[in-house]
């Protein structure tokens, strides 16, 4: 009987969601790395193998990285220009791989480094969605919680980007859902003070991975203060966040010589001018950026994941769910989108679709969960069909990214999209269509070559 009860428990459903997504993320049997993720993977390997973050021993990274701004030179050493925390998350996995002699600590093969990074990334994203399923149960019955959590994992760039290589999105998603979920579920617990402190620390770590998430810990602190029943949690929440932030700053100072880590360098005007052909990180036109992240044919959120529109329809209900949902989830999500629109490189460089949307996949899912009853009651048959179509389209488009990208080389041909930004608006040459067409052609060609002669 106890076994049956466990199978039908919230915890079991969360484990099954995480396991199913981990399997789905790895069905393509490959990593989809970029120069950005390669740097973080090699930092993780270096931490595990040598206990430092010096990358000059890895020519595969420094040869291209020093030219394009992915790596910076500090005190004669090559150091990452990206947040260090994702590499710290991944270092234990590389240590295990080295111990099992799956990777040569001194002469690693790039394919081995990529494979471990992919397993870590997919595991972190799957775990984040499993935790999300637990948190969503605060607002919805079992079945919708599972559906929303699976949708967050499969119908957003959490699948096509975050789970496919060691981007900082995966660790950020896990820290974000742990931080938001901890506070949302802490009230009434015997350990609510400790949980609040851990939540503050988790959100601080999310910001260390993805700085634009800063609105979430700040908004949640305000929500705790506005909620009379949760006001006592403000102090431990803030203390936990401050301790985690101080720890990350100290790590960055020791490794990079800057409390912000490599972020200060990679977001400099010089790097943006050289890499993305823009004047600086915040030189974008807000309305153009907003239109781009929503409806650009090759980067638009509502093009690549139209199911996200359900979250915007649920905002009213989520707003009325209370101060924690209002100020900890809804307002920060809107502020993130506003900041993303102002960011000069809103398209995310060389990637598949709106990669930065991976950062708000968890909050969007929470908004849908908080407003679940309202759209369900109001929806007629036609509306429900539209929701199903949007979900199927979103999953299909993400699958194209996972199984086909970078086939078609849309980002680089005929002109580098970082140099020719007008290509982001070309409906005649959308990234989805070109990637799918090229990927299917390559698959058919491989099958033809593998077929035995008759």
């Amino acid at each position: 009987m106890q076994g049956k009860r466990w199978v039908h428990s919230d915890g079991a459903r969360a484990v099954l969601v995480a396991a199913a997504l981990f399997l789905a993320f790895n069905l393509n049997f490959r990593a989809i790395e970029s120069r950005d993720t390669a740097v973080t993977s090699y930092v993780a390997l270096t931490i595990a193998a040598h206990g430092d973050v010096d990358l000059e021993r890895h020519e595969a990274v420094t040869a291209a990285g020093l030219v394009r701004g992915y790596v910076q030179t500090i005190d004669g050493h090559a150091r990452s220009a990206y947040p260090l925390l994702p590499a710290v998350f991944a270092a234990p996995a590389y240590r295990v791989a080295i111990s099992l002699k799956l990777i040569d600590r001194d002469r690693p093969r790039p394919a081995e480094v990529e494979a471990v990074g992919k397993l870590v990334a997919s595991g972190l994203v799957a775990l984040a969605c499993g935790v999300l399923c637990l948190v969503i149960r605060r607002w919805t019955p079992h079945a919708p919680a599972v559906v929303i959590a699976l949708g967050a994992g499969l119908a957003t760039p959490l699948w096509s980007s975050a789970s496919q290589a060691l981007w900082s999105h995966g660790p950020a998603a896990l820290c974000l859902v742990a931080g938001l979920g901890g506070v949302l579920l802490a009230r009434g617990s015997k350990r609510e003070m400790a949980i609040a402190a851990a939540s503050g620390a988790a959100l601080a770590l999310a910001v260390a991975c993805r700085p634009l998430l800063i609105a979430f810990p700040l908004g949640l602190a305000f929500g705790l203060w506005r909620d009379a029943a949760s006001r006592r949690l403000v102090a431990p929440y803030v203390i936990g966040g401050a301790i985690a932030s101080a720890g990350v700053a100290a790590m960055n100072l020791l490794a990079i010589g800057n409390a912000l880590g490599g972020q200060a360098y990679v977001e400099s005007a010089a790097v943006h001018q050289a890499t993305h052909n823009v004047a600086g990180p915040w030189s974008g036109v807000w309305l153009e950026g907003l239109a781009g992240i929503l409806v650009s044919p090759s980067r638009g959120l509502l093009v690549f994941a139209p199911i996200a529109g359900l979250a915007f329809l649920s905002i009213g209900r989520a707003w009325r769910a209370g101060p924690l949902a209002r100020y900890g989830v809804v307002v920060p999500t809107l502020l993130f989108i506003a900041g993303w629109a102002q960011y000069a490189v809103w398209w995310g460089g060389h990637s598949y679709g709106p990669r930065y949307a991976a950062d708000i996949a968890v909050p969007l899912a929470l908004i849908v969960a908080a407003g679940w009853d309202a759209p369900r009651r109001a929806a007629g048959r036609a509306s429900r069909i539209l929701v199903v179509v949007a979900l199927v389209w979103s999953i299909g488009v993400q699958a194209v990214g996972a199984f086909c990208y970078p086939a078609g080389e849309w980002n680089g041909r005929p002109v580098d999209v970082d140099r020719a930004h007008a290509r982001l608006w070309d409906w005649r040459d959308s990234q989805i269509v070109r990637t799918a067409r090229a990927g299917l052609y390559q698959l058919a060609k491989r099958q033809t070559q593998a077929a035995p002669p008759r």
Side-chain angles (χ1 to χ4, degrees), residues 183 186-187 192-194 196-197 224 229-238:
V183 166
R187 286 189 303 179
E192 63 179 7
M193 295 294 185
L224 287 170
S230 303
R231 195 165 293 167
R232 63 185 177 278
L233 302 180
V234 172
Y237 171 83
V238 171

Side-chain angles (χ1 to χ4, degrees), residues 108-122:
R109 292 190 298 176
E112 298 168 347
V113 178
E114 290 179 3
V116 175
K118 162 68 181 289
L119 290 174
V120 172
S122 58

Side-chain angles (χ1 to χ4, degrees), residues 55-88:
L55 293 174
E56 61 269 13
R57 57 174 63 88
H58 302 300
E59 185 178 354
V61 177
T62 59
L66 289 173
V67 175
R68 292 291 302 275
Y70 303 95
V71 177
Q72 54 187 317
T73 302
I74 299 174
D75 297 330
H77 296 286
R79 304 278 171 79
S80 171
Y82 293 93
L84 291 176
L85 196 58
V88 174

Side-chain angles (χ1 to χ4, degrees), residues 81-99:
Y82 293 93
L84 291 176
L85 196 58
V88 174
F89 271 88
Y94 282 95
R95 184 63 204 169
V96 170
I98 292 170
S99 300

Side-chain angles (χ1 to χ4, degrees), residues 95-407:
R95 184 63 204 169
V96 170
I98 292 170
S99 300
L100 295 176
K101 300 187 183 304
L102 300 176
I103 293 182
D104 188 319
R105 67 192 296 271
D106 297 312
R107 294 180 180 83
R109 292 190 298 176
E112 298 168 347
V113 178
E114 290 179 3
V116 175
K118 162 68 181 289
L119 290 174
V120 172
S122 58
L124 290 173
V125 176
L127 182 57
C129 292
V131 175
L132 176 64
C133 186
L134 285 175
V135 177
I136 288 174
R137 279 287 290 118
R138 176 183 177 89
W139 291 303
T140 68
H142 291 297
V146 171
V147 170
I148 295 171
L150 288 174
L154 295 176
T156 74
L158 284 179
W159 183 10
S160 61
S161 294
S163 70
Q164 298 303 304
L166 204 53
W167 295 99
S168 54
H169 305 293
L174 179 58
C175 291
L176 187 62
V177 71
L180 294 175
V183 166
L184 291 172
L185 302 177
R187 286 189 303 179
S189 169
K190 295 179 179 179
R191 300 178 179 178
E192 63 179 7
M193 295 294 185
I195 295 174
S199 295
L203 287 173
L205 296 181
V207 174
C209 294
R210 304 292 302 167
L212 198 55
L213 294 174
I214 184 64
F216 286 93
L218 297 179
L220 191 54
F222 184 71
L224 287 170
W225 179 257
R226 289 295 302 270
D227 185 17
S230 303
R231 195 165 293 167
R232 63 185 177 278
L233 302 180
V234 172
Y237 171 83
V238 171
I239 291 172
I243 292 173
S245 297
V248 171
M251 176 185 70
N252 287 334
L253 280 171
L254 289 173
I256 305 296
N258 188 312
L260 298 177
Q263 204 71 31
Y265 176 76
V266 78
E267 297 295 353
S268 66
V271 169
H272 276 72
Q273 291 166 8
T275 306
H276 302 292
N277 196 28
V278 294
W282 302 106
S283 59
V285 178
W286 189 82
L287 286 177
E288 178 183 348
L290 182 62
I293 65 178
L294 292 179
V295 297
S296 162
S298 294
R299 287 297 189 271
L301 177 60
L302 299 180
V303 175
F304 281 74
I307 194 62
L310 188 59
F312 298 114
L313 296 176
S314 304
I315 282 180
R317 175 86 177 190
W319 184 271
R320 295 188 293 273
L324 298 185
R326 184 183 308 142
Y327 299 113
V329 181
V330 176
V331 171
T333 300
L334 296 176
L335 290 176
F336 179 95
I337 293 173
W340 179 11
Q342 184 61 34
Y343 187 58
V345 194
W346 52 264
W347 60 91
H350 282 212
S351 59
Y352 177 77
R355 174 169 58 88
Y356 295 157
D359 293 333
I360 53 171
V362 164
L364 290 175
L366 290 174
I367 291 172
V368 170
W372 180 259
D373 285 341
R376 185 165 61 93
R377 285 200 304 265
R381 183 179 179 183
S383 298
R384 292 179 183 180
I385 292 175
L386 284 176
V387 169
V388 172
V389 170
L391 179 61
V392 171
W393 172 266
S394 301
I395 293 174
V397 170
Q398 300 311 310
V400 167
F403 288 94
C404 299
Y405 179 79

